[in-house]
């Protein structure tokens, strides 16, 4: 040991490593490095809250300052995971309250957070600074009130797309007058009106405020006042963007915006009255991120707005933009990196706007830096996909959703295998792929062969046999998350590639053909995997083993396989090789 | 509910002389129809008939007819489903059920008339309150369906009897009904993959931007549905349905796995599953009512307001036991319901009469002896059953009279229910 560096030096060196991947590698070198590293890790990311238990985390990392965690599987966003499945934040927060009194950041995604948890957070951590709740649920505005009241040094309060039970808007008034540290406030998911005067005073006394996302209830007339108090804003989410057309409102709004020299991101724009859009023209040249996905703006007005934003890098928009608008986008925004087009009428039988695959083709031609796409449309062809793949080999994320399940190529009526095959073949750096339309096993063969960097794959209503799943599991080397719904994949592929599941974060299969017997066998073969059978029809024991299960969720875990908060409709394998439920 | 109150007033307050067989006067005609119908439908009495149905007032699940006919071919165990000796509990529950359904009357006005077309061969329990005018001759007795149908309304829960294959065939039958086609198309859960937050925002976005949208945008409206005793919540998209009947059938499907429950190999309930106690539980708490929480936070019974108004104000749905739903109601019926509850507590005797009356017409309380038992035996068992009920009624009524005497004579206020 005389030849090794002193610990303090090593610790100092390690402090430059920010990526968890690098720190994990460092801790594998030798025992003393493991020990040094674990004492100086301050930031942790847990991709699946059930992969590890709070006790294990606390035991290994005694000095954490920031925790980021994800709970439910991605398909929970689309109501495929029954309520009450789990992902409760309270056990984690309670355990961390004792172990980490100096915890500063908590970021949760798709977890169930209760008011008790929020209250515990506000009271246990003296130095709490950042709370980000993405797509969480289970809490009310009372919980927010306790956060506002008790966290003296709160910097970020971000409730992205969470389901909050909105009891009243009074929670905002709980911010004490002494609180001047606010940097980011996102309350866009809340419904009820907050006291505008409290909001105004809060904004006025927060000189560091960079992000302000208002909720729909903040009227347009008041927006100008708020913006005037915070000309240093970098990201602004408006409230309802509609009002009677009055020139004084318009001019005050335009003046307020012109004072914001650092504004880079705009969002909100609920209930847009297009005549008020020109008020933001003064800041458009600096805008890099524009989220108009709640704004029903006709294509012509959209084009006028977008053509002003030469430096746009991220655009989220509804399909009102139409093919013509996307062509204009391709012509004016050459820096575009991410495009998301959401459907305005997803459940209508007939298309209400003229948005087709052509829009995506034009954007892929015109925007050389485009790397991330989420596109909802009603028709697609192999030719278009091949063209897109050729135009844009630098895709990292490609998510295409054709609204009609199993829709074939509308020109040739063939499956879209060739199109998606071209995507994975040409886009060598593809990390995330979501597919839709009519797909056979061939597309999975292409994916297995070419998509070597693919980390997340979402499949729906696709495939013909187990061979498809086998191609994916055996071929995709970097696969971490696989989620499948309504595909005819069964036992053989899953069991044959059981070892692969150990290298992945999770596998979700719902409405497929996996039998209960196969789940049991998988759980027996792989002790490090938790095979959760989620079936609302009653205990799977009461049916024959060949009966298919409704949903199965397989994830690797070092915690106990019998999690304590399992509801009645979840079954996992017990220690004595029988399926039990709590 | 007019006929129900008639019955009540017929027998009068507790001090009048009671004719326990008096109900046979008004029912003699129906009785014969019942027995003849009973004969022809004896084949149809099977396990399926223990189904309890979740139905909104006046509505019929579209697939009930088809389920029923499909299951005729399924050979199910027949055993006496109900013991000969009725328990007091059952009667009390029945009385509560009668009361709970008292406020359903108004729904008939709001039903689209769909129930007319569907009551062709599957209406039961209409003889007593014969309001929809369905022909008793063609009424197929639904066997052991427990439902109280004042003025053609219905409350019951459907069991998870249909196996997966049966379900598919029923879906095929439904599929041919063109009215259901667009709703069936949109019923894939979680597709297209849009987060509920965005879906709910789409509703209000499209509503307020008509000039862009042209036609009314549907969007989606997800509300949570919970059921008493069920371990999990579900979410339904109210915009996928255009009327109460669709919602009720969807909820039936969704929660059907939680009623009679476990399925055997073919998906039909096996004999040992339907144990005596389980069945009794089902019978006692068997009435399920669909309620919703409106924007003001009040819990209301579903079905009183027009559909559009309902989806505009509904925040949450809950499937409650009928006994718990006493006291709930829409504003116009609140008082009436409460009054009825009070009355029943004060004068349970004639409510028991009512219950016995119903028992008589409800196959559910008639033991199932199978098809090869002579009719006279069945009649005899009926009579003995009625006698037993009568005696128990007498006994309980004596108890009640005693209580009343104590109340008035001795001024024992604690025996009075608080108003």
């Amino acid at each position: 040991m005389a030849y090794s560096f002193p610990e303090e030096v090593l610790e100092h060196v390690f402090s430059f490593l920010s990526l968890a991947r690098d720190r994990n590698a460092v801790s594998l070198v030798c025992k003393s490095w493991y020990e040094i590293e674990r004492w100086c890790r301050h930031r942790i990311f847990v991709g699946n809250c059930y992969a590890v238990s709070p006790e294990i985390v606390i035991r290994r990392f005694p000095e954490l300052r920031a925790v980021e965690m994800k709970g439910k599987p991605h398909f929970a966003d689309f109501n495929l995971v029954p309520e009450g499945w789990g992902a409760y934040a309270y056990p984690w927060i309670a355990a961390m309250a004792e172990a980490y009194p100096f915890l500063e950041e908590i970021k949760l995604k798709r977890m169930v957070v209760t008011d008790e948890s929020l209250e515990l957070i506000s009271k246990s951590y003296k130095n709490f600074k950042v709370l980000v709740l993405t797509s969480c649920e289970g809490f009310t505005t009372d919980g927010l009130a306790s956060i506002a009241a008790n966290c003296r040094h709160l910097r970020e309060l971000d409730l992205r797309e969470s389901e909050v039970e909105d009891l009243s808007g009074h929670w905002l008034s709980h911010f004490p007058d002494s609180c001047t540290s606010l940097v980011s406030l996102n309350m866009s998911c809340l419904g009820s009106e907050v006291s505008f005067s409290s909001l105004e005073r809060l904004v006025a006394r927060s000189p560091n405020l960079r992000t302000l996302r208002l909720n729909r209830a903040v009227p347009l007339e008041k927006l100008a006042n708020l913006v005037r108090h915070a000309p240093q804003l970098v990201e602004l989410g408006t409230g309802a963007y509609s009002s009677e057309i009055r020139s004084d409102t318009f001019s005050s709004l335009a003046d307020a915006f012109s004072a914001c020299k650092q504004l880079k991101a705009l969002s909100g724009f609920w209930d847009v009255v297009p005549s008020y859009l020109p008020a933001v023209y003064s800041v458009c040249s600096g805008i890099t991120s524009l989220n108009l996905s709640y704004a029903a703006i006709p294509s012509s007005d959209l084009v006028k707005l977008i053509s002003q934003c030469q430096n746009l890098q991220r655009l989220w928009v509804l399909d009102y933009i139409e093919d013509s608008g996307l062509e204009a986008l391709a012509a004016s925004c050459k820096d575009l990196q991410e495009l998301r087009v959401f459907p305005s009428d997803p459940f209508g039988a007939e298309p209400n706007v003229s948005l087709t695959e052509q829009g995506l083709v034009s954007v892929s031609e015109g925007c050389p830096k485009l790397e991330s796409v989420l596109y909802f449309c009603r028709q697609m062809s192999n030719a278009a996909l091949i063209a897109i793949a050729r135009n844009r080999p630098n895709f990292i994320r490609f998510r295409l959703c054709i609204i009609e399940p199993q829709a074939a190529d509308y020109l040739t009526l063939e499956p879209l295998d060739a199109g998606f095959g071209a995507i994975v073949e040409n886009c060598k750096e593809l990390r995330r792929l979501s597919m839709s339309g009519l797909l056979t096993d061939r597309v999975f063969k292409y994916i297995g062969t070419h998509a070597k960097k693919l980390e997340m794959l979402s499949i729906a209503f696709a495939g013909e046999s187990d061979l498809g799943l086998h191609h994916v599991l055996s071929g995709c080397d970097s696969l971490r998350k696989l989620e499948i719904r309504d595909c005819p994949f069964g036992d053989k592929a899953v069991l044959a590639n059981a070892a692969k599941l150990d290298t992945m974060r999770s596998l979700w299969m719902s409405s497929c053909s996996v039998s209960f017997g196969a789940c049991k066998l998988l759980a027996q073969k792989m002790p490090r995997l938790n095979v959760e059978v989620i079936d609302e029809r009653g205990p799977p024991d009461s049916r024959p083993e060949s009966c298919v299960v409704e949903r199965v969720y397989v994830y690797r875990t070092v915690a106990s396989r019998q999690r304590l908060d399992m509801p009645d409709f979840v079954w996992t394998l017990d220690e004595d090789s029988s399926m039990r439920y709590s | 509910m007019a006929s129900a109150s008639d019955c009540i007033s017929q027998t009068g307050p507790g001090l009048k002389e009671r004719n326990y067989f008096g109900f046979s006067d008004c029912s003699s005609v129906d009785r014969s129809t019942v027995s003849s119908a009973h004969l022809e439908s004896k084949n149809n009495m099977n396990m399926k008939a223990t189904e309890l149905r979740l139905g909104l007032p006046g509505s019929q699940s579209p697939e009930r007819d088809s389920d029923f006919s499909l299951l005729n071919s399924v050979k199910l165990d027949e055993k006496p489903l109900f013991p000969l000796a009725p328990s007091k509990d059952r009667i009390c529950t029945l009385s509560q059920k009668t009361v709970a359904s008292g406020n359903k009357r108004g729904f008939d006005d709001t039903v689209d008339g769909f129930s007319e077309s569907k009551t062709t061969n599957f209406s039961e329990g209409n003889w007593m309150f014969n309001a929809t005018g369905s022909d008793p001759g063609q009424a197929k007795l639904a066997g052991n369906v427990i439902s109280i149908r004042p003025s053609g309304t219905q409350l019951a829960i459907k069991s998870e009897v249909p196996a997966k294959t049966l379900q598919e065939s029923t879906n095929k039958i439904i599929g041919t009904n063109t009215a259901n086609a667009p709703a069936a198309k949109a019923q894939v859960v979680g597709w297209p993959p849009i987060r509920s937050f965005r879906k709910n925002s789409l509703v209000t976005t499209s509503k307020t931007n008509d000039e862009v949208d042209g036609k009314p945008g549907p969007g989606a409206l997800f509300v949570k549905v919970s059921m008493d005793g069920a371990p999990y919540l579900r979410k339904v998209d109210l915009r996928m349905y255009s009327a109460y009947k669709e919602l009720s059938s969807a909820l039936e499907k969704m929660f059907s796995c939680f009623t009679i429950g476990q399925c055997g190999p073919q998906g039909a309930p096996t004999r040992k599953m339907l144990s005596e106690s389980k069945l009794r539980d089902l019978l006692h708490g068997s009435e399920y009512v669909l309620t919703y929480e409106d924007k003001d936070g009040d819990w209301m019974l579903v079905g009183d307001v027009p559909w559009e108004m309902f989806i505009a104000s509904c925040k949450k749905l809950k499937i409650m036991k009928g006994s718990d739903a006493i006291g709930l109601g829409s504003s116009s019926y609140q008082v009436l319901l409460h009054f009825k509850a009070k009355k029943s507590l004060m004068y349970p005797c004639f409510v028991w009469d009512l219950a016995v009356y119903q028992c008589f017409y409800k196959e559910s309380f008639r033991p199932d002896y199978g098809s090869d038992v002579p009719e006279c035996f069945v009649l005899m068992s009926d009579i003995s059953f009625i006698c037993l009920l009568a005696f128990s009624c007498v006994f309980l009524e004596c108890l009640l009279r005693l209580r009343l005497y104590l109340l008035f004579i001795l001024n024992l206020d604690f025996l009075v229910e608080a108003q």
Side-chain angles (χ1 to χ4, degrees):
Chain A
M1 288 302 122
Y3 302 105
S4 66
F5 279 136
E7 280 186 18
E8 296 79 14
V9 177
L10 276 175
E11 216 175 289
H12 186 68
V13 171
F14 293 163
S15 65
F16 292 100
L17 298 173
S18 52
L19 289 179
R21 196 177 53 211
D22 296 336
R23 281 189 165 259
N24 292 343
V26 150
S27 60
L28 288 174
V29 168
C30 64
K31 279 209 177 113
S32 61
W33 279 38
Y34 175 91
E35 285 294 313
I36 297 168
E37 193 279 322
R38 79 180 183 95
W39 278 95
C40 67
R41 191 178 312 207
H42 297 304
R43 191 168 280 274
I44 188 176
F45 169 72
V46 179
N48 175 3
C49 63
Y50 289 123
V52 70
S53 73
E55 293 72 35
I56 296 176
V57 172
I58 292 169
R59 197 171 57 219
R60 179 168 174 190
F61 299 117
E63 299 279 328
L64 287 184
R65 301 274 159 79
V67 172
E68 188 179 341
M69 207 175 322
K70 293 189 182 176
K72 298 188 198 176
H74 174 236
F75 273 174
D77 284 346
F78 316 128
N79 295 333
L80 290 178
V81 178
E83 295 259 348
W85 172 81
Y88 300 107
Y90 188 78
W92 283 90
I93 293 174
M96 294 192 300
E98 294 189 22
Y100 305 128
F102 299 109
L103 194 69
E104 291 174 4
E105 283 185 30
I106 293 181
K107 296 185 184 173
L108 303 175
K109 184 166 184 180
R110 274 187 228 111
M111 296 189 73
V112 177
V113 183
T114 53
D115 283 347
E116 287 78 28
S117 320
L118 291 177
E119 218 177 299
L120 195 55
I121 291 176
S122 66
K123 300 225 170 95
S124 319
Y125 306 117
K126 300 288 165 253
N127 216 16
F128 194 69
K129 295 200 173 105
V130 172
L131 181 65
V132 176
L133 300 174
T134 312
S135 305
C136 294
E137 58 178 0
F139 58 104
T140 74
T141 43
D142 289 347
L144 296 177
S146 52
I147 294 275
N150 299 325
C151 299
R152 306 264 149 198
H153 307 282
L154 193 67
R155 281 203 283 181
E156 274 186 50
L157 179 60
D158 194 336
L159 310 166
R160 291 174 217 173
E161 297 187 357
S162 295
E163 276 184 42
V164 186
E165 197 179 322
D166 215 331
L167 300 174
S168 80
H170 289 310
W171 65 274
L172 194 77
S173 320
H174 285 254
F175 275 109
D177 288 336
S178 54
C179 172
T180 57
S181 50
L182 209 59
V183 171
S184 165
L185 177 63
N186 179 350
M187 50 184 218
S188 49
C189 60
L190 297 178
S192 60
E193 199 170 334
V194 297
S195 147
F196 187 75
S197 52
S198 327
L199 179 60
E200 205 174 346
R201 276 182 285 127
L202 179 63
V203 172
R205 65 174 184 267
S206 306
N208 300 321
L209 195 67
R210 295 276 174 272
T211 302
L212 178 65
R213 298 204 199 268
L214 303 167
N215 64 343
R216 199 175 192 153
V218 176
L220 188 61
E221 297 87 4
K222 307 261 178 75
L223 184 64
N225 297 346
L226 278 179
V227 175
R228 245 191 290 277
H229 284 293
Q232 76 281 7
L233 275 179
V234 175
E235 296 178 1
L236 173 69
T238 71
Y241 207 77
S242 69
S243 168
E244 305 174 349
I245 316 283
R246 283 167 47 177
S247 56
D248 52 348
T249 322
F250 182 88
S251 50
S252 70
L253 198 59
D255 289 339
F257 274 119
S258 55
C260 298
K261 304 280 180 230
Q262 301 178 38
L263 204 56
K264 292 238 179 323
L266 278 177
S267 61
F269 294 104
W270 279 286
D271 313 323
V272 171
V273 167
S275 338
Y276 273 106
L277 282 176
V280 300
Y281 283 0
S282 49
V283 289
C284 276
S285 53
I287 293 285
T288 57
S289 162
L290 197 52
N291 180 353
L292 301 169
S293 55
Y294 300 105
I297 306 175
S299 177
S300 46
D301 295 301
L302 270 175
V303 167
K304 279 191 227 146
L305 178 63
I306 289 170
S307 51
Q308 309 258 340
C309 307
Q310 309 289 338
N311 290 320
L312 198 62
Q313 290 173 9
R314 187 149 72 111
L315 177 65
W316 292 19
V317 75
L318 283 174
D319 60 4
Y320 293 123
I321 193 170
E322 297 186 346
D323 290 340
S324 51
L326 288 173
E327 274 176 40
L329 175 70
S332 45
C333 304
K334 295 297 179 190
D335 277 345
L336 194 70
Q337 291 173 12
E338 179 178 336
L339 173 67
R340 294 197 191 188
V341 178
F342 295 98
S344 54
D345 183 14
F347 303 108
E350 297 300 318
N352 59 331
V353 290
S354 97
L355 178 89
T356 66
E357 80 281 9
Q358 193 48 43
L360 188 56
V361 174
S362 4
V363 177
S364 67
E365 275 173 22
C367 302
K369 296 194 188 164
L370 188 67
E371 57 182 24
S372 169
V373 165
L374 168 61
Y375 200 74
F376 283 82
C377 60
R378 288 183 188 264
Q379 64 187 40
M380 187 49 68
S381 64
N382 281 315
L385 280 171
I386 294 171
I388 291 167
R390 293 227 180 90
N391 292 335
R392 224 29 49 234
N394 49 332
F395 274 134
I396 292 179
R397 278 171 236 112
F398 188 79
R399 297 158 69 185
L400 178 67
C401 175
I402 305 169
I403 291 187
E404 179 69 33
Q406 299 182 320
D409 178 339
Y410 76 102
L411 294 170
T412 62
L413 298 180
E414 282 173 4
L416 291 170
D417 299 337
F420 280 104
I423 295 274
V424 290
E425 200 175 333
N426 289 345
C427 306
K428 307 252 185 285
E429 300 292 318
L430 195 67
R431 291 208 301 255
R432 182 169 179 180
L433 177 65
S434 300
M435 306 193 294
S436 57
L438 183 63
L439 298 165
T440 68
D441 286 344
R442 269 189 314 151
V443 71
F444 297 112
K445 186 149 172 242
Y446 296 146
I447 290 174
T449 318
H450 297 288
K452 295 299 177 191
K453 298 243 177 109
L454 193 66
E455 292 178 5
M456 182 167 175
L457 179 61
S458 310
I459 310 171
F461 304 103
E464 296 163 313
S465 70
D466 278 28
L467 201 54
L469 182 57
H470 176 69
H471 283 307
V472 170
L473 286 175
S474 53
C476 298
D477 299 332
S478 315
L479 196 63
R480 286 189 303 121
K481 287 182 277 187
L482 179 57
E483 44 189 23
I484 304 171
R485 63 163 295 181
D486 293 275
C487 298
F489 298 144
D491 305 339
K492 291 194 286 244
V494 175
L495 290 174
N497 294 289
K500 170 78 177 175
L501 297 179
D502 227 2
T503 66
M504 289 166 53
R505 183 188 292 175
S506 65
L507 166 68
W508 169 277
M509 292 179 74
S510 62
S511 308
C512 297
S513 315
V514 180
S515 71
F516 180 58
C519 296
K520 271 171 70 169
L521 196 55
L522 182 65
Q524 280 162 1
K525 268 173 80 171
M526 311 290 301
R528 281 286 183 81
L529 288 182
N530 198 358
V531 180
E532 284 193 11
V533 172
I534 302 168
D535 204 323
E536 290 167 317
R537 296 171 297 178
D541 293 4
S542 58
R543 293 183 288 277
E545 294 224 335
S546 56
C547 207
V548 302
V549 297
E550 281 181 358
R551 307 169 187 88
V552 59
Y553 184 44
V554 183
Y555 54 90
R556 62 179 174 187
T557 177
V558 294
S560 152
R561 303 216 293 196
Q562 295 282 316
R563 56 183 172 99
L564 295 170
D565 53 8
M566 280 205 299
D568 286 353
F569 49 86
V570 174
W571 284 270
T572 61
L573 193 69
D574 197 355
E575 295 312 308
D576 57 0
S577 300
S578 63
M579 282 307 224
R580 292 271 194 83
Y581 57 98
S582 62
Chain B
M1 207 48 203
S3 34
S5 46
D6 284 343
C7 284
I8 291 168
S9 53
Q10 241 176 29
T11 42
L15 299 174
K16 257 208 210 153
E17 184 182 343
R18 204 148 306 278
N19 179 7
Y20 288 105
F21 295 94
F23 52 72
S24 59
D25 293 334
C26 46
S27 63
S28 54
V29 174
D30 295 340
R31 180 149 201 247
S32 50
T33 344
V34 161
S35 32
S36 60
H38 174 65
L39 267 175
E40 64 183 54
S41 66
K42 201 90 70 91
N43 315 337
N44 300 332
M45 290 213 297
N46 48 32
M47 288 311 189
K48 155 78 175 182
T50 55
E51 66 182 55
L52 307 163
R53 230 157 246 284
L54 175 65
L56 291 166
S59 67
Q60 300 257 18
S61 328
E63 61 270 23
R64 279 177 74 185
D65 318 351
S66 31
D67 274 350
F68 205 86
S69 50
L70 282 167
L71 273 162
N72 284 341
S73 54
V74 176
K75 194 70 184 148
L76 294 165
D77 290 330
E78 290 189 352
K79 63 160 193 162
L81 291 168
F82 305 95
L84 277 176
S87 62
K88 288 182 218 169
D89 302 345
R90 195 180 297 145
I91 294 174
C92 289
T93 321
L94 263 182
S95 66
Q96 287 174 322
K97 283 187 260 180
T98 319
V99 167
S101 53
N103 62 340
K104 288 290 183 282
R105 182 167 52 139
F107 180 68
D108 274 350
D109 306 324
T110 57
V111 167
D112 302 336
F114 186 86
S115 50
E116 310 299 332
S117 57
K118 287 290 181 183
T119 44
T120 45
N121 58 347
F122 196 75
S123 61
E124 76 281 5
N126 269 344
W127 318 285
M128 188 167 72
F129 300 106
N130 205 14
T132 55
S134 47
D135 181 11
Q138 68 171 353
K140 191 163 43 163
L141 285 178
N144 301 312
V145 178
I146 298 165
S147 62
I148 294 181
R149 304 280 296 279
S151 52
T153 60
Q154 145 206 333
L155 299 164
I157 292 278
K158 180 166 111 165
S159 67
E160 164 74 333
V161 169
K164 203 166 180 192
T165 47
L166 286 174
Q167 199 75 291
E168 283 162 23
S169 11
T170 56
N171 285 342
K172 270 189 242 150
I173 292 167
I174 306 300
T176 55
N177 182 354
T178 50
N180 278 334
K185 184 180 175 182
Q187 264 170 23
V188 182
V189 175
W191 191 267
I194 305 175
R195 284 192 182 161
S196 21
F197 181 73
R198 190 172 290 283
K199 272 197 260 215
N200 288 343
S201 304
L202 278 177
V203 181
T204 32
T205 302
S206 55
K207 261 193 209 153
T208 53
N209 285 280
D210 288 333
E211 71 270 21
V212 184
D213 221 353
K215 62 179 164 94
L221 194 58
F222 278 87
V223 292
K224 293 187 182 176
V225 188
S226 62
M227 176 161 165
D228 272 352
Y232 49 83
L233 293 180
R234 299 296 297 269
K235 279 190 191 168
V236 284
D237 176 8
L238 289 180
R239 290 208 177 267
M240 287 213 294
Y241 314 108
S242 51
Y244 287 113
K245 63 187 182 304
E246 290 174 21
L247 176 65
S248 74
S249 50
L251 288 176
E252 268 186 47
K253 281 210 198 86
M254 223 180 259
F255 286 95
S256 59
C257 58
F258 190 64
T259 49
I260 292 205
Q262 284 78 40
C263 291
Q266 283 79 31
T270 54
R271 188 185 188 132
K272 67 175 188 253
M273 297 300 177
L274 277 175
S275 61
E276 201 72 33
S277 57
K278 204 161 190 171
L279 208 49
R280 199 171 290 130
D281 291 340
L282 282 167
L283 293 175
H284 291 173
S286 55
E287 287 294 322
Y288 284 91
V289 186
L290 185 61
T291 61
Y292 72 102
E293 185 181 9
D294 68 359
K295 286 205 153 60
D296 305 324
D298 300 321
W299 284 95
M300 319 275 274
L301 281 164
V302 170
D304 289 316
V305 298
W307 175 256
E308 290 301 328
M309 203 185 296
F310 165 66
I311 54 178
S313 60
C314 172
K315 266 174 39 180
K316 270 189 223 180
L317 285 170
K318 187 167 178 185
I319 302 173
M320 292 186 176
K321 296 206 168 108
S323 43
D324 297 338
I326 293 179
L328 273 189
S330 67
S331 48
S332 53
Y333 292 108
Q334 187 78 27
V335 172
L336 182 65
L337 187 63
H338 201 60
F339 174 73
K340 287 262 181 270
K342 297 298 308 154
K343 213 169 175 193
S344 75
L345 288 170
M346 289 290 282
Y347 303 112
C349 312
F350 47 85
V351 178
W352 289 329
D353 289 347
L354 208 62
V356 166
Y357 193 96
Q358 280 217 351
C359 275
F360 192 71
Y361 285 100
K362 290 288 166 247
E363 288 301 311
S364 51
F365 286 89
R366 194 180 277 181
D368 178 8
Y369 297 110
S371 53
D372 53 350
V373 168
E375 178 66 16
C376 57
F377 181 47
V378 178
L379 279 174
M380 272 174 57
S381 77
D382 281 349
I383 291 170
S384 55
F385 184 69
I386 297 302
C387 289
L388 274 166
L389 282 181
F391 280 120
S392 62
C393 288
V394 170
F395 173 65
L396 288 163
E397 200 200 324
C398 287
L399 271 183
L400 208 81
R401 286 182 196 224
L402 179 64
R403 173 177 165 276
L404 286 173
Y405 292 147
L406 285 174
L407 170 66
F408 289 116
I409 292 167
L410 299 179
N411 279 338
L412 290 173
D413 290 316
F414 65 84
L415 291 174
V416 183
E417 303 89 359
Q419 188 54 267

